[in-house]
Amino acid sequence: MKTQVAIIGGGPSGLLLSQLLHTVGISSIVLERKTKDYVLGRIRAGVLEQGMVNLMRRAGVSERMDAEGYVHNGTVISNADELIELNFTKLTGTPVLVYGQTEVTRDLYEAREKAGGQIEFEVEDVVIHDAKTDAPYLTYTVHGEERRIDCDYVAGCDGFHGVSRQTIPDDVRQEFEKVYPFGWLGILSETPPVHHELIYSNSPHGFALCSMRNANLSRYYVQVPLTDKVEEWSDDRFWGELKKRIPAEVAEKLVTGPSIEKSIAPLRSFVTEPMSWGRLFLCGDAAHIVPPTGAKGLNTAASDIHYLFEALKAHYLEGDDSGIEGYSEKALLRVWKAERFSWWMTNLLHRFPDQGPFDIKMQQAELNFLRDNEDAQKVLAQNYVGLPY
Ligand code: APR
Ligand code: PHB
């Protein structure tokens, strides 16, 4: 098979790129290791920056997002029983949209299918060949049958465990990583959200987050030691712990119920440099991971896709390769800022096993400074709603 852009990975990054390229007549084929249902079965976060919202509109995939997404003008950061209300729209002029990543991925699959987009599922043994030439190609198998795709460019949108990053030689690739000494135990419950905005809680018992999917589907998280197992956490134990970590006035309003999903996710910051090698470009989790505290995972993948789409469009429609040559540098500039914000939010809101009394006082002083200083609130808001592309 032959295509202009071969995309490895049928997650939100790969699908958004394929759809955007389609809108300007650039062909692509998406290779996905799992089935569509498996990909849509993954529970992921759900706060969209304006940049991601604009990209979905640009891709012509915004009808359900605009109809069902919740515009949030702000969020709450709580410090024990104290609530610090941050009004993003007042501080930056820009809100965020609460719309699950699973729904984003579902809408993108629908749009690709409607447009006759080529997606191969359950592919195996994907190998990228000749990325450093002007005629790269992929080989892979589907149910044991060997296949080949000749292309002009390869987009590695295959996540952290994909093949694309590994294709960049060790002596070229530099990796930066920070692993946090705790995880997030998250549940999904068919209960009304406890508050109309998200609440990020710092408490003596550790971090908690109150989030939502819709008017009767809530998402809650509590920080847990990495050694904890999901089986050790009954729903009652979860709700009891959550109530201890959120402000008392909020805990009183909390509607509890059986969890329909429960899982523990480790927290890590990770970046690989460079994000391109010859005609191979890395996007999203294939190149970088953020702890979820800043809601930057999907949104930083989106800015990668924006830069790569604009670069490929300029190449094919204007014969201008400056975007392609500058992709890695441009994407990394914004990636590192998202990494810093996510790392800062994680340090501000979690309790660390090795934290001493002085460290806790530092956290408290930072939270009080945030409460008392509008410029500090503005800086947080600017990062949360999304830095310009
Ligand atoms: N061949 C084909 N597909 C692969 C391969 C491979 N060798 N390896 C991985 N994949 C597929 C995975 O099955 C997955 O569906 O690539 C896809 C990568 O999707 P994501 O992990 O969702 O990554 P991305 O599309 O970049 O989305 C980033 O996902 O994890 C969240 O917080 C993150 O929100 C961010 C978003
Ligand atoms: C979520 O809704 O799952 C969510 C929201 C915000 C975060 C992380 C997760 O920062």
Side-chain angles (χ1 to χ4, degrees):
M1 287 192 281
K2 186 159 183 41
T3 190
Q4 290 173 301
V5 184
I7 300 173
I8 309 173
S13 297
L15 296 168
L16 181 57
L17 178 62
S18 186
Q19 177 66 13
L20 285 166
L21 292 172
H22 165 74
T23 65
V24 293
I26 298 170
S27 68
S28 65
I29 297 175
V30 173
L31 299 183
E32 170 51 50
R33 172 162 57 184
K34 301 291 186 182
T35 62
K36 178 180 158 189
D37 290 346
Y38 182 95
V39 173
L40 291 174
R42 293 186 184 117
I43 303 288
R44 294 266 174 82
V47 175
L48 308 184
E49 294 175 352
Q50 196 60 44
M52 174 62 181
V53 169
N54 295 344
L55 273 180
M56 289 289 277
R57 291 184 180 144
R58 173 82 186 67
V61 192
S62 57
E63 197 181 328
R64 199 163 72 96
M65 177 188 74
D66 288 333
E68 297 176 14
Y70 296 89
V71 173
H72 277 204
N73 291 310
T75 195
V76 174
I77 291 201
S78 69
N79 182 10
D81 279 342
E82 187 172 47
L83 284 84
I84 305 169
E85 304 204 349
L86 299 171
N87 185 321
F88 299 144
T89 308
K90 191 171 113 267
L91 292 160
T92 69
T94 308
V96 293
L97 192 75
V98 171
Y99 186 65
Q101 177 174 321
T102 312
E103 305 321 311
V104 166
T105 310
R106 193 187 310 283
D107 296 345
L108 287 167
Y109 269 121
E110 232 168 75
R112 295 308 305 131
E113 283 151 14
K114 217 161 63 193
Q118 247 184 300
I119 306 176
E120 297 228 42
F121 290 101
E122 297 182 273
V123 305
E124 289 172 297
D125 315 316
V126 174
V127 177
I128 303 166
H129 303 266
D130 296 355
K132 287 285 266 184
T133 73
D134 57 10
Y137 64 98
L138 303 183
T139 57
Y140 59 102
T141 60
V142 180
H143 306 309
E145 189 195 308
E146 299 219 351
R147 304 267 178 90
R148 172 178 170 144
I149 298 176
D150 290 281
C151 55
D152 302 331
Y153 297 100
V154 180
C157 302
D158 47 356
F160 186 75
H161 303 287
V163 64
S164 301
R165 187 175 68 254
Q166 309 305 333
T167 302
I168 303 181
D170 292 352
D171 60 355
V172 174
R173 193 159 34 100
Q174 211 183 344
E175 298 191 345
F176 305 83
E177 183 172 44
K178 183 172 190 54
V179 177
Y180 299 87
F182 39 71
W184 277 14
L185 168 64
I187 71 163
L188 204 55
S189 61
E190 291 173 327
T191 54
V194 70
H195 193 61
H196 67 283
E197 291 178 339
L198 275 60
I199 303 180
Y200 290 86
S201 298
N202 176 311
S203 88
H205 306 279
F207 171 83
L209 169 62
C210 304
S211 182
M212 62 201 70
R213 293 291 175 271
N214 60 46
N216 198 45
L217 191 59
S218 296
R219 182 76 167 148
Y220 297 103
Y221 300 93
V222 294
Q223 162 193 355
V224 295
L226 277 175
T227 48
D228 275 21
K229 299 276 173 292
V230 171
E231 310 75 62
E232 297 162 354
W233 281 86
S234 67
D235 288 355
D236 287 351
R237 182 181 175 202
F238 179 90
W239 293 119
E241 193 57 37
L242 178 65
K243 283 181 182 166
K244 276 196 282 183
R245 298 184 186 194
I246 58 181
E249 64 180 275
V250 178
E252 272 157 29
K253 297 184 295 175
L254 183 67
V255 177
T256 64
S259 62
I260 59 172
E261 191 275 346
K262 193 186 293 177
S263 55
I264 296 180
L267 269 65
R268 167 210 328 250
S269 296
F270 173 89
V271 179
T272 193
E273 294 186 355
M275 282 177 61
S276 66
W277 187 66
R279 291 188 171 213
L280 168 62
F281 302 89
L282 303 183
C283 307
D285 280 18
H288 45 78
I289 303 283
V290 286
T293 329
K296 290 292 170 232
L298 178 61
N299 294 304
T300 312
S303 54
D304 294 345
I305 296 303
H306 165 78
Y307 295 133
L308 186 55
F309 167 59
E310 292 298 332
L312 290 166
K313 185 162 65 94
H315 167 78
Y316 284 110
L317 278 59
E318 298 137 33
D320 165 9
D321 282 356
S322 59
I324 284 186
E325 282 137 26
Y327 168 76
S328 179
E329 194 182 337
K330 206 166 188 182
L332 281 167
L333 197 58
R334 193 173 189 280
V335 165
W336 277 114
K337 289 174 185 170
E339 290 286 343
R340 183 212 65 83
F341 176 65
S342 306
W343 162 83
W344 178 78
M345 283 282 276
T346 302
N347 285 318
L348 178 70
L349 297 170
H350 289 75
R351 290 301 164 105
F352 289 71
D354 60 356
Q355 230 171 1
F358 180 82
D359 306 312
I360 291 177
K361 281 292 183 186
M362 284 301 98
Q363 256 188 2
Q364 291 302 311
E366 183 107 46
L367 287 161
N368 293 340
F369 178 65
L370 185 64
R371 176 197 60 206
D372 304 337
N373 184 292
E374 186 164 318
D375 294 328
Q377 293 177 8
K378 202 175 275 181
V379 168
L380 190 157
Q382 285 167 351
N383 281 278
Y384 196 97
V385 301
L387 299 174
Y389 284 5

